[in-house]
Amino acid sequence: MADQRVMIVGGGLAGLAAAMKLAELGVAVDLMSLTPVKRSHSVCAQGGINSVNALTRQQGDNEWLHFDDTVYGGDFLQHQPPVKEMAWWGPKIIDLMDRLGVPFNRTEEGFRDQRRFGGTLFKRTAFAGATTGQQLLYALDEQVRRWESEGKIRKFEFWDFLGPILDDAGVCRGCVGQDLYSMEIRAFPADAVIVASGGAGLIFGRSTMSMVCTGGAASRCYQAGARYGNAEFVQVHPTAIPGADKLRLMSESARGEGGRVWVPRKPQDSRDPRQIPDSERYYFLEERYPKYGNLVPRDIATREIFNVCTHEGLSVEHDRLCVYLDLTHLPREMLDLKLGGILEIYEKFQGVDPRDVPMKIFPAVHYFMGGLWVDYERTADGGLKLGSPRNQQTSIPGLYAIGECDYQYHGANRLGANSLLSCIFSGLIVAPSVQTWLKSQSKAAGEGRATLYDQALKREQARHDALLARSGGGENPYLVHHELGQCMTRAATVVRYNNILDEAYGEVQEFEQRAGRASLSDTGSWTNQNVVFTKALEDMFPLAKAILKGARLRDECRGAHFKPDFAMPGIAATEPAARRREAEAWCDRFEENNRRFLKSTISEHGADGEPQISYEEVDTTLIPPRPRLYGLVGAEVIEEVWNQRQARRKAAGGDGNGATAKPAGVAAGAH
Amino acid sequence: MTQTATHSAHEHTNGHAAEPRTFDVRILRQDGPGEASYWERHRVAYEPDMNVISVLQRIAAQSETVDGRQVTPVAWDCNCLEEVCGACTMLVNGRTRQACSALVDRLLDEQPDGIELRPMSKFPVVRDLVVNRRRLFRALEKIRAWIPVDGYYELGPGPRQSTDQQRTAYPLSECMSCGCCLEACPQYQKVELRPRDGETAEDFKTREDATFDRSFIGAHAISQVRYFNSNPVGKMSADVRLEALVAPGGIQDCGNAQNCVVVCPKHIPLTTSIGWAGRAATVYTIKKWFDK
């Protein structure tokens, strides 16, 4: 049998972790990326990476609590076994990255230092200055270069993934790629394809994401038949620096190290912020969430900042929405050592030193919790069966997805410093899964399938040629993209309303038609960025529609998906018995809502180009769903009622699981 | 957010006597490798808070020169737009830097008659402002810029390190392979090969790599030798990297012009690294001579 090969699409943390692990297992790897892998979007991750550690353990922390925080922070929308496994791998992954040479910050005694991030009360986050993503990525890039020098990994940098190649049985046998310099289109036989292409921020125009984050690769898999999960769950990061070309992230670590968010109590107080006394400052997160303070989960911080600026009219500026993120009370030396990288970004792009003057920030689209649906195989104790070919496999056999482009780990909302962990984790565990899959194949993909590859290549060549052949004078793809971004940002970010989602859906359909009439200003055959962008734009619409439709149909609030019309208010009554009655009713409604909506949204690309939506039960058998009560009025009485209910259920022999809970395997795409 | 799209002039745009309504951008273009380059002038409507990337985005969208000629969009390379990926290096007003952090207001302050963009001159032009920097990554392979760990199974944590060690290593590890130090270096000469008739892509790459390996590795790679040889585990294989450092194209080609450290956007102490590397190379060479 000829040698088997694996194609990895994308060289961020997930893709590189998978590449080096597969190379260690002796599997030949090709790695395709739009950009030299060292320039992947993972470099933008700033704050750190979570895991339980020796210190937090002695404060009562353990893997189960990390797992619980992740699931609770994600509003219970993720299958629990993969998340549990990830929490258990956390310490091992940090150790591995430490061995690979990542310059983690150190304590005086030489141990790795840790800081606190949102959604937890423990200092779980290891970090390397404020460029942790960059440092982790470089360590993996170095290992992949090592394998490359031994001929075990071949890189195809400046190549665009045009789509998977499926045989008659619907099994993935490779992919088509295009060289961004020569524009050559080529079919790559591969015995498995692993997509690690990250998020799709460009669908929202400007976001915190890099310019390669078009979502093109994920969309092309989706259009080829792969299911897409929880598209509507898009994280809007609370703190970003508004810019004309991009919204630059200001890491949560700024708050983790003591940064405080505030607005002047007097609307648009024109005084220098440093002259405004404490008594006239409104530290709204600290006042409303005394337990977590500035480190509430991201969806909550985002909504509070948004509300304080819009509904409460307390934006710092008249003509622009923003709040202060203040570090000026912290010692400069500490700031330089722990946050230098991000403070430089602010200084460089805003021309103001955030060590002296409070920063002005506002939320921005940041992370896709949703993504390609992937499978897993669970063990009896609720972990993952490692080496199962189902782990990270999409609904297309032989096609895998890892990192931000899968939907697996973060449910309805991702906790800070968990993304780097999920990327490396999914990259490492996909390797033995793929190895098992390869063993199950009777012949190498490239053997006896010449026609299949030839047809796939011709199909993509035809699409390319047709674009170049379009007559001039049509729509401008860059302007259509700009409008798409504005529409999506208005309809599908911090707050969502059904009438606006309906309108936006119609608009996106119009944009799609207009993009179909776009003409190119470059019809050449050398380094034609115009045609590459136009293809990426066309492929944004299927995902944009999946986001809007998923959001439209989900009439509830969960994590990052917030519909004011369906919000559950807190307890209004003051008299104890009435409070209790209200809390009982609240819990009834909570359970009823979970029965309807504690389900993953699954989109399939219909023949008509519109998303077909179905729902998948979520495996919540390890931690029963419970109300997410951060800062809710009457949280204490709701919690009391809820706990009593759970205790009664347990006594009656139930599993204490108030919502839908079925074992894995009923998952929509199990095959 | 919709609201952020409508923000207006603020902070660093204050202080200008009058904001220009438009400004001109001169771009040195080239249609492909080995072809003649030519200047083209574009006019862009001024907006507050622009950087060179947003200027290039506007130029791509309009695809029209000052004299109304329809042209192809200018090609350029970029990704993160936060100055951490290293992709968008080019010559902006004659200075090597990242286009993303080159802010229009400041550029117009420096040079009110417009902005000039050119591709880096030390790397082969692919098209317009896009250059091929493969040689830069090849140098990292040559000096074996990695920790040769036993494998990726669970083997416990790495060695404990002092805060001093971390504070020395961290800035070196921030190198984003942008190429500014190479562009500014008088000793770093452009290497541009073209495939021969009938040469396969693989054969071409082999020939190109061999040429790269004979040519100067540059400050970034020298600094990476220091980074890896200072690491407690990297130290164990220090000689392998020192051998690459004294091989043809190594540290001896450095002319000590010290331009590199001036242009490094990450403020990496490149000349300190070069000083260290010079001493390490000498010690290594003497040791090798005695060990004969």
Side-chain angles (χ1 to χ4, degrees), chain A residues 24 38-39 99 103 110 131 135 143 147 211-212 245-246 248 319-321 348 476 522 526 529, chain B residues 1 3 7-8 51 61 76 79-83 85 126-127 147 151-152 161 166 170 173 176-177:
Chain A
E24 181 181 50
K38 192 176 177 180
R39 310 202 193 286
R99 285 174 50 228
T131 60
Q135 300 305 319
Q143 294 301 315
W147 291 105
M211 301 310 281
V212 294
D245 54 335
K246 166 168 198 190
R248 295 179 177 86
D319 49 5
R320 188 171 71 137
L321 301 183
K348 210 156 248 175
N476 183 328
D522 185 355
W526 180 260
Q529 296 181 333
Chain B
M1 314 298 84
Q3 284 72 11
H7 65 86
S8 64
N51 57 5
W76 82 97
N79 196 26
C80 77
L81 311 192
E82 294 180 7
E83 209 193 64
C85 82
V126 176
R127 183 174 179 181
I147 304 290
Y152 312 126
Q161 292 182 40
Q166 193 271 344
Y170 178 73
S173 181
M176 56 184 180
S177 301

Side-chain angles (χ1 to χ4, degrees), chain B residues 13 36 42 48 99-100 107 111 127 135 141 150 156 164 166 170 183 202 212 223 239 256 258 271:
Chain B
T13 59
H42 292 260
C100 66
L107 295 173
Q111 204 171 295
R127 183 174 179 181
R135 176 177 164 197
E141 201 175 319
D150 291 346
D164 277 354
Q166 193 271 344
Y170 178 73
E183 180 66 25
E202 239 160 73
F212 289 158
S223 186
D239 285 0
N256 225 3
Q258 312 210 356
T271 42

Side-chain angles (χ1 to χ4, degrees), chain A residues 536-597:
Chain A
L537 172 66
E538 288 184 337
D539 292 327
M540 287 179 199
F541 300 109
L543 292 189
K545 289 189 290 187
I547 293 168
L548 293 175
K549 194 158 180 189
R552 174 64 182 85
L553 297 177
R554 187 176 281 278
D555 282 338
E556 65 157 354
C557 298
R558 188 178 296 278
H561 172 76
F562 185 73
K563 279 188 176 173
D565 295 342
F566 299 90
M568 285 168 58
I571 306 300
T574 49
E575 186 269 318
R579 276 171 71 78
R580 228 193 124 76
R581 273 196 307 279
E582 269 190 46
E584 290 283 358
W586 196 101
C587 290
D588 290 343
R589 191 175 159 196
F590 172 77
E591 290 187 280
E592 173 54 30
N593 185 66
N594 271 352
R595 271 189 286 278
R596 270 188 76 191
F597 288 115

Side-chain angles (χ1 to χ4, degrees), chain B residues 211-257:
Chain B
T211 318
F212 289 158
D213 290 350
R214 286 193 300 275
S215 314
F216 185 36
I217 54 173
H220 78 108
I222 294 172
S223 186
Q224 287 287 298
V225 172
R226 178 178 170 217
Y227 173 66
F228 285 100
N229 281 13
S230 313
N231 177 284
V233 178
K235 221 175 247 177
M236 299 174 191
S237 52
D239 285 0
V240 181
R241 287 181 213 97
L242 292 174
E243 187 58 41
L245 196 63
V246 299
I251 179 91
Q252 68 280 5
D253 285 4
C254 169
N256 225 3

Side-chain angles (χ1 to χ4, degrees), chain B residues 59-244:
Chain B
I59 290 175
Q62 57 198 43
S63 296
E64 192 182 286
T65 62
V66 161
D67 40 21
R69 225 162 16 95
Q70 289 294 313
V71 291
T72 56
V74 176
W76 82 97
D77 201 359
C78 71
N79 196 26
C80 77
L81 311 192
E82 294 180 7
E83 209 193 64
V84 283
C85 82
C88 66
T89 315
M90 58 184 73
L91 299 176
V92 181
N93 284 355
R95 214 180 89 209
T96 179
R97 51 181 143 181
Q98 277 68 55
C100 66
S101 54
L103 307 181
V104 166
D105 288 328
R106 285 188 207 162
L107 295 173
L108 293 178
D109 276 347
E110 282 167 27
Q111 204 171 295
D113 59 336
I115 295 172
E116 182 199 278
L117 304 178
R118 280 188 284 146
M120 297 173 88
S121 66
K122 299 295 175 71
F123 298 96
V125 170
V126 176
R127 183 174 179 181
D128 297 335
L129 302 170
V130 179
V131 294
N132 186 337
R133 279 173 282 179
R134 207 174 67 75
R135 176 177 164 197
L136 192 158
F137 294 109
R138 174 70 189 176
L140 296 179
E141 201 175 319
K142 183 181 175 187
I143 59 143
R144 307 179 76 75
W146 51 77
I147 304 290
V149 293
D150 291 346
Y152 312 126
Y153 291 93
E154 192 187 349
L155 294 170
R160 272 160 74 175
Q161 292 182 40
S162 69
T163 48
D164 277 354
Q165 158 82 29
Q166 193 271 344
R167 285 173 200 178
T168 311
Y170 178 73
L172 303 180
S173 181
E174 280 191 292
C175 173
M176 56 184 180
S177 301
C178 67
C180 283
C181 59
L182 309 174
E183 180 66 25
C185 173
Q187 257 54 49
Y188 198 87
Q189 298 301 320
K190 177 151 120 178
V191 171
E192 181 163 16
L193 301 184
R194 308 274 302 132
R196 293 172 182 147
D197 280 345
E199 191 174 37
T200 65
E202 239 160 73
D203 287 346
F204 175 65
K205 184 171 178 285
T206 309
R207 185 162 63 88
E208 203 180 40
D209 282 347
T211 318
F212 289 158
D213 290 350
R214 286 193 300 275
S215 314
F216 185 36
I217 54 173
H220 78 108
I222 294 172
S223 186
Q224 287 287 298
V225 172
R226 178 178 170 217
Y227 173 66
F228 285 100
N229 281 13
S230 313
N231 177 284
V233 178
K235 221 175 247 177
M236 299 174 191
S237 52
D239 285 0
V240 181
R241 287 181 213 97
L242 292 174
E243 187 58 41

Side-chain angles (χ1 to χ4, degrees), chain A residues 609-629:
Chain A
E610 305 301 317
Q612 308 299 312
I613 305 287
S614 59
Y615 293 92
E616 174 197 46
E617 298 295 337
V618 180
D619 182 347
T620 58
T621 48
L622 302 172
I623 302 176
R626 61 182 188 271
R628 205 162 164 258
L629 296 168

